[in-house]
Amino acid sequence: AQKITQTQPGMFVQEKEAVTLDCTYDTSDPSYGLFWYKQPSSGEMIFLIYQGSYDQQNATEGRYSLNFQKARKSANLVISASQLGDSAMYFCAMREASGGYNKLIFGAGTRLAVHP
Amino acid sequence: NAGVTQTPKFQVLKTGQSMTLQCAQDMNHEYMSWYRQDPGMGLRLIHYSVGAGITDQGEVPNGYNVSRSTTEDFPLRLLSAAPSQTSVYFCASSYRGASYGYTFGSGTRLTVV
């Protein structure tokens, strides 16, 4: 079964607008961490934001915020005021307590295109 | 601070050849992993290690071997390359614990002909 599901293969947004990238996850572990990574066309993997399963507040990092809905098992990434440089692949990922948090499992990714 | 260093960046192999992808990190991370990235499939875990001398299989381990003799190094060996192993390979490392993101190397683009 898919542990991380990203249902949007591709998204586009107008520059300066906000966009939400969807991520749902599947775990029975009460302790886990959720991550978003950005992969620009150059290929490197860039860590964006982290949300812990016990965190009471949604994580924010600059223009990135994570809309964490624990009961729905969703961890959507919100990018505010999109910039042309935000065009990239975005991956959602999870680490679980079971097994000692030693694996980071990824979704298939969403390709975001920002239009001027 | 070099972070995670992968070599080579590009490689072309013939079917049946063997090779080793090198990975080194200088952050004293306990955890290290190898991933492959194929179009439309995200990153899939090949092998991982939680410390020197300890390795385990990930989601797609067949055709690959790893070892971890030191904290810093985690090489990935392709035993007999096949066209299905054409992919981009990433090495990553992390501290222990849920709140730590993995730091990734720049990747190796491997083509098997």
Side-chain angles (χ1 to χ4, degrees):
Chain A
Q2 287 272 43
K3 288 243 178 201
I4 299 285
T5 302
Q6 295 180 252
T7 57
Q8 307 153 314
M11 291 279 288
F12 71 88
V13 64
Q14 290 294 125
E15 195 177 8
K16 299 180 185 177
E17 294 188 347
V19 62
T20 298
L21 306 183
D22 295 341
C23 173
T24 58
Y25 58 92
D26 181 23
T27 181
S28 57
D29 204 318
S31 180
Y32 51 89
L34 296 159
F35 301 82
W36 278 91
Y37 283 82
K38 173 184 178 181
Q39 186 180 43
S41 57
S42 53
E44 70 267 34
M45 295 290 289
I46 302 168
F47 165 71
L48 294 178
I49 196 167
Y50 160 79
Q51 179 83 45
S53 59
Y54 293 119
D55 293 344
Q56 297 296 315
Q57 292 189 324
N58 288 341
T60 60
E61 290 287 349
R63 294 186 299 110
Y64 303 109
S65 60
L66 202 153
N67 184 1
F68 182 46
Q69 298 188 39
K70 194 170 182 177
R72 295 185 177 183
K73 293 189 176 179
S74 75
N76 300 338
L77 177 70
V78 180
I79 306 175
S80 62
S82 297
Q83 302 172 356
L84 296 178
D86 294 333
S87 294
M89 280 290 288
Y90 289 82
F91 293 98
C92 181
M94 177 173 65
R95 291 177 87 159
E96 299 171 286
S98 56
Y101 303 106
N102 51 24
K103 291 184 282 188
L104 187 62
I105 305 301
F106 284 84
T110 296
R111 183 173 297 281
L112 176 66
V114 180
H115 295 173
Chain B
N1 195 342
V4 179
T5 303
Q6 283 185 243
T7 56
K9 292 192 183 303
F10 301 93
Q11 183 70 50
V12 179
L13 288 180
K14 294 183 179 179
T15 297
Q17 286 184 319
S18 63
M19 80 159 294
T20 299
L21 306 185
Q22 301 292 344
C23 176
Q25 53 94 5
D26 61 358
M27 298 170 284
N28 205 30
H29 286 167
E30 298 98 326
Y31 292 173
M32 296 187 75
S33 299
W34 276 103
Y35 292 86
R36 60 176 289 172
Q37 183 177 20
D38 302 296
M41 301 189 75
L43 280 76
R44 293 184 292 168
L45 184 64
I46 304 172
H47 286 284
Y48 63 98
S49 168
V50 299
I54 307 170
T55 64
D56 205 346
Q57 296 181 352
E59 183 185 0
V60 287
N62 292 341
Y64 308 94
N65 273 357
V66 292
S67 60
R68 187 137 177 235
S69 55
T70 66
T71 299
E72 294 77 21
D73 300 301
F74 191 43
L76 178 72
R77 297 182 188 83
L78 279 71
L79 309 173
S80 177
S84 61
Q85 292 178 305
T86 293
S87 188
V88 179
Y89 291 84
F90 286 98
C91 179
S93 70
S94 170
Y95 290 115
R96 185 182 314 198
S99 62
Y100 295 103
Y102 272 75
T103 300
F104 282 79
S106 57
T108 296
R109 185 173 295 274
L110 175 69
T111 302
V112 183
V113 298

